[in-house]
Amino acid sequence: MSTTSVPTSSDSASSAPTTRGRVIFVGAGPGDPDLLTLGAIAALADASAVILDDERQREILSHPAITLGEDAAVTALGFAEGQKPLTPSARARIVIKQAAGGGRVVRLVNGDPFWDNAVADEAAACVRGGIDFEVVPGVSSLTAVPEYAGIDLVHAGGVQFASMTDGRFTKVATAPWGNAATVVVSTLVQHLPGLVDAALAAGRPADDHVVLTLHGGSTNQVTVPCRLDEVVVAVSATEAPGGDPVHVIMGVAAEQRGELSWYETKPLFGWRVLVPRTKDQAAPMVARLRTYGAHSEEVPTISVEPPRSPLQMDKAIRGLVEGRYEWIAFTSVNAVKAVREKFEEYGLDARAFSGLKVAVVGDVTAAALRGWGIEPDLVPSDEQSAAGLAAEFPPYDEVLDPINRVFLPRADIATETLAAGLVELGWEVEDVTAYRTVRAAPPPAEVREAIKTGKFDAVVFTSSSTVRNLVGIAGKPHPGTVIAAIGPATQKTCEEHGLRVDVVAGKPSVVALADALASFAADRRDAMVAAGETVLRPSQRKAPSRRV
């Protein structure tokens, strides 16, 4: 008599992952990171792995609203032989492999998953492979890119949309183009000759109005108006690689574009701006510059390291817990980070701040503190600097203040402005080195060359140390590059290094500095237009012979 053994629950558990894998197809929008949905941000925060359409999407992941898990692996889909896109089944195999271990895999796709990227076949392959999936819809590039190009689709006389990134312009698919008032097609540059042939064969006239938009919705967007029979020549002039995305708008909507171009007329559109700061500190600046159309590149000039001896910080943290201080004053994000790391080292959390008053030098430092769950008691309302904090700090009152000590964790090279101001107000200041700042390693050779030869349109300096360190590791910016400084002290340091300062922020904050640069660029553009000159970026104009 034969018997059949039945797997026990323990047998099953040993042969299968404890958590079933899941794939989330997330729409990333047309290219502007600000168009990510809340659902997309939440999915990325919970992902164990992220698979990108291409390497260009890495810029989206640097958006300050996105937080990836520390262990989340980020990879980009490659190409098949001959630089052809992978088939849906090939893409699905990569996705399934990532999800097979029980993780949550975010498959980040351009535009909207089902509208733009034809990932329905990819999703079906996941189901056949035993992997569950869900979709987080995104802003479709088919509707968003025309808007970024300044095209009104409401008065387009009816629109025929098509996503054809595979270049298969069959007669059945393209036949409706002949009678449509407006046609919007998403494809790749290499497929444009086939698209033109298909449009002409469908009955569209050779002199049909066309608008080509490459990299729509990104700071690299380029829009070219032309006729249908001029498309191939027009795109060749842009020198765009064959694999670059392009949107083709044909017909009534392209003809009526008129004066609605709003994105490419932003004051800093197309500007390449150098931000010499550490990446986490640069985020608010980069986000603001992007709203004005700029493409920012961060070059770390300072490396943050622990103090040479931890004894002073250890003593201060113990004193904080024991109630030794009335106030703690943070002068930078790095100071918040240094104290938080010490807390975690001791197994403490934000509750240890109970009963302690907290002051910060400005809004960026306040945001870092709130990220820890602590609401500051004092943020300067006027000048956001050490001097501004000292000006608004309350004097010591021996009746109202039970303790007269202030804990001031700061950098080893920080100025004495705040400490001296607090002493004048009657406080006893314990000035503690929480971290050291040392000059960072030089940037790559191509970045150093771009700085020296004027390929950056502007450099934004946010402190005197960033000026000294950038010049030290990369050399002086080219004379034609616009120099922007966060305040008078930074301006003075620039001038000491032979740099003419073109822009100074109205108040010492990174957002105000970005706003000031944008205003400068807008005034510069208006002056060129008024003089009848072609509007060129600083990197496109001949530089003056010297800076000062």
Side-chain angles (χ1 to χ4, degrees), residues 28 31-37 41 60 63-65 148 217 266 287 290-291:
D32 187 342
D34 287 337
L35 295 187
L36 284 171
T37 66
I41 293 170
I60 293 176
H63 192 281
Y148 273 77
K266 286 187 173 188
R290 185 171 52 246
T291 66

Side-chain angles (χ1 to χ4, degrees), residues 347-366:
L348 301 169
D349 56 32
R351 289 174 294 183
F353 279 81
S354 177
L356 185 68
K357 297 175 184 175
V358 183
V360 295
V361 76
D363 293 333
V364 176
T365 307

Side-chain angles (χ1 to χ4, degrees), residues 33-34 59-67 275-291 294 296-299 333 364 367-368 460 462 509-511 514:
D34 287 337
E59 184 177 355
I60 293 176
L61 298 182
S62 65
H63 192 281
I66 295 176
T67 302
V275 182
R277 289 173 67 92
T278 56
K279 195 170 184 66
D280 56 343
Q281 292 175 320
M285 167 81 77
V286 170
R288 190 68 159 207
L289 289 171
R290 185 171 52 246
T291 66
S296 303
E297 295 183 34
E298 301 102 33
V299 173
V333 172
V364 176
V460 285
T462 54
S509 79
V510 295
V511 170

